[in-house]
Amino acid sequence: MSTFPTRGAGPRQGGWMGGTWHQSTSSRGRTQAARAGGLVLALFVSLASTSVAYATEGTLPADAPLAESADEKVTKPERHPWLALGEVTAINVVVWVWDRTLGQKEWARITPRNWRDNLSTGFVWDRDGFSTNQFAHPYHGSHYYTAARDNGISFAGAIPFTLFGSTQWELFAETEPPSINDLINTTMGGVAMGEALYRLSSYVLDTEATGRERFGRELAAGLISPVRGVNRLVRGDSFRHEPTPPEWHAPALTGWATLGYLSFGDGKLEAGGRDQFFSQFSLRYGDMFRDDIKRPFDAFDAHIQLTTRETSLVSHAGLTGMLAAKTLLDNEQEEVRLGFMQQLSYVDTIAYEVGGQSLNVGLLHRRELSEHSTLKSAFLVEGSVLTGISSGHMGVGDRDYDYGPGVGLQLHLAFARDAWDILTLEAGVKRIVVLNGQGGAHQVHTGQLQLDLPVLGRMGLGGEVNFFQRHSEFDHFPDLDKDTYELRVFLSVH
């Protein structure tokens, strides 16, 4: 199943094809609306902060904190693992105190007996709602990850800290048994979201700026990556004037937005939910097809969508980061590379729910058709570590979706003029084996065709057709089929 972010994120959860990109402008108590709002605000701020382009020529990691010597040569970041562990624990304490006092959450009334019970019970599958498990938990996990990265820990080194923070919360911050799905979503999703937000905050920062510009940049970076913002204030980095490390900026950062109307083709939906308006905000950091990928997330794509008449604030979200790439062919006209990627996907609509954490590998091909025209394609094998998908029958308790791993194939094609994807075509197939739910398996097929035509300057007009099909085989219930299509028209701003 295709789950890459695109301009119009319908059932297939979108593509990530790029043109020749130019530089341009909780668990139960982790309130899902606040988390969703935080990421929405982060994307707004990051898009607004891309008007200035930066060239990256450095070779050192983009880890922070970075120190500058007297001769303005960037030194290696100092690593503070014990401080990182302390910050991870502090994050959990602050959130728990909030839930226990101001939130008055019953599950936050923990005692040593609860800790003993949680340790003896072990990890189970919880009954939380889809948006809490699949969106709020990854965002919360991003704070653990940032605590490590902002104390000089590398991408790989920050993963155990994220796992530690999630495990600590599950065992000691709730009266309910620890959750295996929370552990996976918080850790894997937290790593992906945390690294993306950390890099975006670096892009916004300029340690040579002063006055109102410096204040605005520091504020924007803090909104994008809150833990880093607090650390910069405490360390005095927010006021220190020094050369800006070139590693903080991507070769290119492109943002765009779409606003339009959609209609679900699903006979089971009430008339009031079929017709909706949507707005989507997307960005591309670097270029997966062209850039030299030296470290994880040197290139990534992200999107977030708000839709009317849905049960959750965010109806679509996605993040795909390149972990590693190896060039197989490279000449003046075309390039073929083998890519390894991490992906977070999330779709929560009145028609269906699907999303999770996956690792993908495949071939990416770019061919220059002319000076301004590019054709890009990718064929990927998807390995889903954990996917949540609407069941059709009730899942666990009040949960209406199943959990399980899966494998799939994805095909992506895009024709672009400069930094503008004119035509995109995507297709995907995925099989999910149910580990927790009603038992059985889900076979999912997706398809998407989108046309986005330039009209005037940076304004575009487009249309899109999305298709989602699910065939579910259950061990103890009748098999179910789900067929949904979605028609969209939109205005785009690039």
Side-chain angles (χ1 to χ4, degrees), residues 7 20 89 91 114 144 175 188 213 277 281 292-293 326 342 375 383 391 402 410 447 451 463 468 471:
R7 291 187 169 87
T20 305
T89 302
I91 291 169
N114 297 130
Y144 303 142
T175 60
M188 288 195 66
E213 180 186 355
F277 294 98
F281 308 91
D292 186 11
I293 308 298
K326 180 177 178 58
Q342 181 178 357
L375 180 64
S391 171
D402 296 332
Q410 299 179 10
L451 180 65
F468 174 88
H471 175 69

Side-chain angles (χ1 to χ4, degrees), residues 93-342:
V93 171
V94 169
V95 174
W96 174 79
V97 169
W98 177 280
D99 292 330
R100 175 65 178 82
T101 58
L102 298 179
Q104 292 293 306
K105 302 298 184 182
E106 288 298 323
W107 50 261
R109 299 179 181 276
I110 55 174
T111 65
R113 180 176 181 178
N114 297 130
W115 298 342
R116 183 192 62 192
D117 292 342
N118 288 344
L119 289 169
S120 60
T121 299
F123 284 82
V124 300
W125 301 86
D126 73 18
R127 304 180 180 184
D128 284 356
F130 189 82
S131 60
T132 297
N133 279 342
Q134 304 305 114
F135 191 88
H137 281 287
Y139 181 69
H140 191 93
S142 71
H143 298 324
Y144 303 142
Y145 177 87
T146 304
R149 287 287 276 124
D150 201 46
N151 279 287
I153 310 300
S154 67
F155 175 90
I159 297 176
F161 289 86
T162 313
L163 176 62
F164 172 79
S166 179
T167 303
Q168 188 183 61
W169 177 275
E170 294 296 325
L171 291 174
F172 304 113
E174 298 180 343
T175 60
E176 301 178 16
S179 168
I180 181 63
N181 50 278
D182 287 353
L183 194 68
I184 295 173
N185 286 322
T186 303
T187 302
M188 288 195 66
V191 168
M193 197 176 293
E195 180 66 17
L197 295 177
Y198 188 84
R199 284 179 175 261
L200 289 176
S201 67
S202 294
Y203 194 94
V204 171
L205 288 169
D206 183 354
T207 54
E208 298 178 65
T210 58
R212 292 182 180 180
E213 180 186 355
R214 180 64 178 269
F215 175 80
R217 288 179 177 273
E218 293 290 340
L219 178 61
L223 291 173
I224 294 171
S225 185
V227 172
R228 187 182 194 184
V230 172
N231 282 345
R232 288 184 61 79
L233 279 173
V234 172
R235 292 194 301 253
D237 295 343
S238 298
F239 315 102
R240 188 175 296 114
H241 188 269
E242 57 189 358
T244 302
E247 298 81 10
W248 281 9
H249 307 296
L253 181 62
T254 304
W256 64 93
T258 57
L259 175 67
Y261 160 86
L262 66 84
S263 178
F264 277 113
D266 189 332
K268 297 181 181 179
L269 295 178
E270 297 181 0
R274 296 176 184 172
D275 302 307
Q276 304 185 35
F277 294 98
F278 73 93
S279 59
Q280 179 168 304
F281 308 91
S282 308
L283 59 85
R284 177 169 291 120
Y285 178 101
D287 189 333
M288 296 186 190
F289 289 82
R290 300 174 65 94
D291 291 353
D292 186 11
I293 308 298
K294 297 180 179 179
R295 301 169 193 85
F297 280 73
D298 274 352
F300 65 85
D301 292 353
H303 79 273
I304 188 168
Q305 179 180 296
L306 312 179
T307 312
T308 61
R309 299 187 179 183
E310 294 290 354
T311 57
S312 59
L313 176 63
V314 177
S315 58
H316 297 75
L319 173 62
T320 301
M322 183 72 80
L323 298 177
K326 180 177 178 58
T327 299
L328 304 178
L329 171 67
D330 188 9
N331 55 46
E332 293 183 357
Q333 286 189 322
E334 62 183 335
E335 180 177 353
V336 179
R337 59 173 52 181
L338 180 66
F340 180 48
M341 309 163 198
Q342 181 178 357

Side-chain angles (χ1 to χ4, degrees), residues 390-414:
S390 49
S391 171
H393 299 292
M394 294 302 290
V396 176
D398 296 329
R399 204 185 74 201
D400 61 352
Y401 57 96
D402 296 332
Y403 266 128
V407 294
L409 300 174
Q410 299 179 10
L411 175 66
H412 308 260
L413 298 172

